[in-house]
Amino acid sequence: AAIADDELIELDPFTVSANDSNSGYSVKDTLAGTRIRTELKDVASSLVVVNKQLMQDIGATGNTSLLQYTGNTEVGGVAGNFMGTYPTVSDSYGERANLTRPSNNTRVRGLDSADNTRDFFLTEIPWDSYNVDRVDIQRGPNSILFGVGSPAGIINSSVNQPSFATGYTFENKVDNWGSLRNSIDINQVIVSKTLAVRIAGLHDDKKFEQDPAFERTSRVFG
């Protein structure tokens, strides 16, 4: 029998989602190999994809808290796993690299910092898990940036995209220093199979062992 047109689902070859053919921590497809939707088993480069489920289970919200758990990757600074500091004018070492370019204070395969990309476009914006579905970590030189990328690789965050399934998510995190992190993710279908909107919000009041050190972040993404 002929299949009705409304039963057919055509996947966008330039889009992947953390919800597509996933089971637990495993991810099936990626754009990091050829910029076309490709199964991971067909990509020859060294590639790790971290989905939302894994980020939630290890409490990863950015490079600093994620790269400690992935292979051949390091993140610099006090909360990282290598020094990641550089001499200043006075020949002393400080946290300038962490404060000015936190998303780039990384080291992959012991080589250099990886390029920080957002949907495969170079960016200085540090990614945050409140509006990110998945993170692709490609180790080593990558052809996706056409030879102009870092020899260490790229760390790409894929921001949330609207889907035609209404859903709401609220997350709350606390820690032993009194930090409080609240995030919300709203996906609303306006017109069935035609129009949907997705809005994410974050308020993060992060505290540290040292008092009164703190870091407050409020962000909205749509």
Side-chain angles (χ1 to χ4, degrees):
I3 301 176
D5 289 342
D6 58 357
E7 294 181 11
L8 298 178
I9 300 176
E10 183 177 350
L11 298 178
D12 187 342
F14 302 103
T15 303
V16 293
S17 170
N19 298 318
D20 293 335
S21 304
N22 287 348
S23 176
Y25 297 155
S26 66
V27 179
K28 183 178 179 182
D29 302 320
T30 182
L31 299 178
T34 60
R35 198 61 187 269
I36 301 294
R37 185 188 185 101
T38 308
E39 291 194 23
L40 277 174
K41 65 182 180 65
D42 296 326
V43 177
S45 61
S46 181
L47 177 66
V48 171
V49 182
V50 179
N51 64 5
K52 191 76 168 180
Q53 184 64 55
L54 180 55
M55 285 190 281
Q56 289 175 339
D57 288 352
I58 64 177
T61 58
N63 275 347
T64 302
S65 49
L66 175 63
L67 299 188
Q68 303 174 45
Y69 296 95
T70 54
N72 288 321
T73 59
E74 298 169 286
V75 61
V78 174
N81 50 5
F82 85 106
M83 188 173 179
T85 57
Y86 303 91
T88 61
V89 176
S90 60
D91 292 329
S92 61
Y93 286 80
E95 288 289 305
R96 182 175 61 178
N98 273 331
L99 298 175
T100 56
R101 303 182 73 197
S103 58
N104 291 83
N105 195 17
T106 61
R107 188 166 66 184
V108 180
R109 288 180 170 176
L111 293 174
D112 194 7
S113 61
D115 284 320
N116 187 63
T117 63
R118 185 181 177 103
D119 289 332
F120 297 103
F121 290 94
L122 285 170
T123 180
E124 292 287 342
I125 303 173
W127 67 268
D128 191 290
S129 60
Y130 87 101
N131 70 335
V132 168
D133 268 336
R134 55 186 280 156
V135 177
D136 295 69
I137 303 172
Q138 192 166 15
R139 299 187 296 268
N142 55 87
S143 61
I144 201 165
L145 295 181
F146 302 100
V148 297
S150 168
I154 64 172
I155 299 172
N156 177 73
S157 59
S158 298
V159 296
N160 294 337
Q161 299 295 325
S163 64
F164 296 122
T166 295
Y168 310 93
T169 302
F170 174 77
E171 290 185 7
N172 172 267
K173 293 182 181 180
V174 297
D175 68 15
N176 55 318
W177 306 120
S179 302
L180 180 61
R181 175 186 171 92
N182 295 311
S183 61
I184 189 170
D185 184 8
I186 300 173
N187 188 92
Q188 180 67 49
V189 177
I190 306 300
V191 180
S192 178
K193 298 183 181 182
T194 303
L195 176 64
V197 296
R198 190 165 183 174
I199 299 175
L202 168 71
H203 181 73
D204 187 6
D205 187 2
K206 186 176 181 180
K207 298 182 180 179
F208 303 86
E209 181 178 5
Q210 181 183 15
D211 189 43
F214 67 92
E215 181 180 356
R216 291 196 182 106
T217 304
S218 295
R219 301 172 70 177
V220 177
F221 176 82

